[in-house]
Amino acid sequence: MGKGGGLLVAGALLITSACASAQVPERIVYVSDRDGNREIYSSLLDGSDPRNLSENPARDQAPTVSADGRSIAFLSDRTGPLGVWVMARDGSDPRMVAETPDADFGLDWSPDGRLLAMTIQRPGQGTHDIGLLELETGEIT
C-alpha cells in the first residue's frame, strides 16, 4: 500500500506481560509503511496507540518478539547490506548483530533467546535454507 497510511502485515506478533501466572497480551508488533517506508510499529490489541519503534529511513522488516518479550529482532538495510538487528521492545538500543545479505524473510527466536532462525536464499539458487544465528558471536550456520 502507498503513503496513505497503508499497513503491511505478514504476521502480527504479541508482546505479553505476566499477570497472575498467565501471559496477557499487551501490544502487537507489525510492519507499516504509513511514514513512506517500512517501519516496525507496535500498537494495543485494538489498533490504538500506534508507536513507530524503528524510526529510520531504511527498510525495516520481519520483526519477531523474543520469548521473554524484552527484545525484537528484525531485518534492515540501514547500514548497507541487509542485516539482522535487535532492539528493546520499546525500540531503544537498536544494534546490528549480523550482516545477512542472503536473508530473505522470516526470523524466529529460540526459546532461550540465544539463537535466531532465519530463511536464507542463496544467490543463484531458487531454494531456501534455514540459517541459525548465534547472537553472542554473530556466527551463522
Side-chain angles (χ1 to χ4, degrees):
M1 294 186 166
K3 291 185 180 181
L7 178 67
L8 302 169
V9 179
L13 304 154
L14 298 176
I15 296 178
T16 60
S17 68
C19 177
S21 75
Q23 293 290 320
V24 178
E26 290 179 356
R27 303 185 69 82
I28 58 173
V29 175
Y30 56 93
V31 174
S32 173
D33 66 355
R34 72 178 69 207
D35 290 335
N37 70 315
R38 290 183 180 184
E39 299 275 13
I40 298 170
Y41 281 80
S42 74
S43 67
L44 296 175
L45 294 178
D46 65 2
S48 64
D49 190 30
R51 297 180 188 168
N52 184 336
L53 301 178
S54 54
E55 295 189 41
N56 192 284
R59 178 182 46 138
D60 298 325
Q61 60 193 34
T64 184
V65 180
S66 63
D68 64 9
R70 294 182 184 165
S71 301
I72 299 170
F74 61 101
L75 297 174
S76 181
D77 61 359
R78 51 180 71 191
T79 59
L82 197 62
V84 176
W85 289 69
V86 175
M87 65 182 166
R89 70 189 239 170
D90 64 359
S92 64
D93 190 30
R95 63 198 183 284
M96 187 172 76
V97 294
E99 199 172 281
T100 57
D102 299 332
D104 191 52
F105 56 88
L107 296 170
D108 199 11
W109 290 87
S110 64
D112 64 8
R114 291 184 26 237
L115 302 169
L116 280 170
M118 68 185 77
T119 305
I120 297 174
Q121 182 174 13
R122 300 290 178 195
Q125 298 179 8
T127 60
H128 290 85
D129 295 320
I130 302 296
L132 290 176
L133 168 61
E134 173 75 41
L135 288 171
E136 189 173 305
T137 65
E139 186 175 324
I140 299 172
T141 55

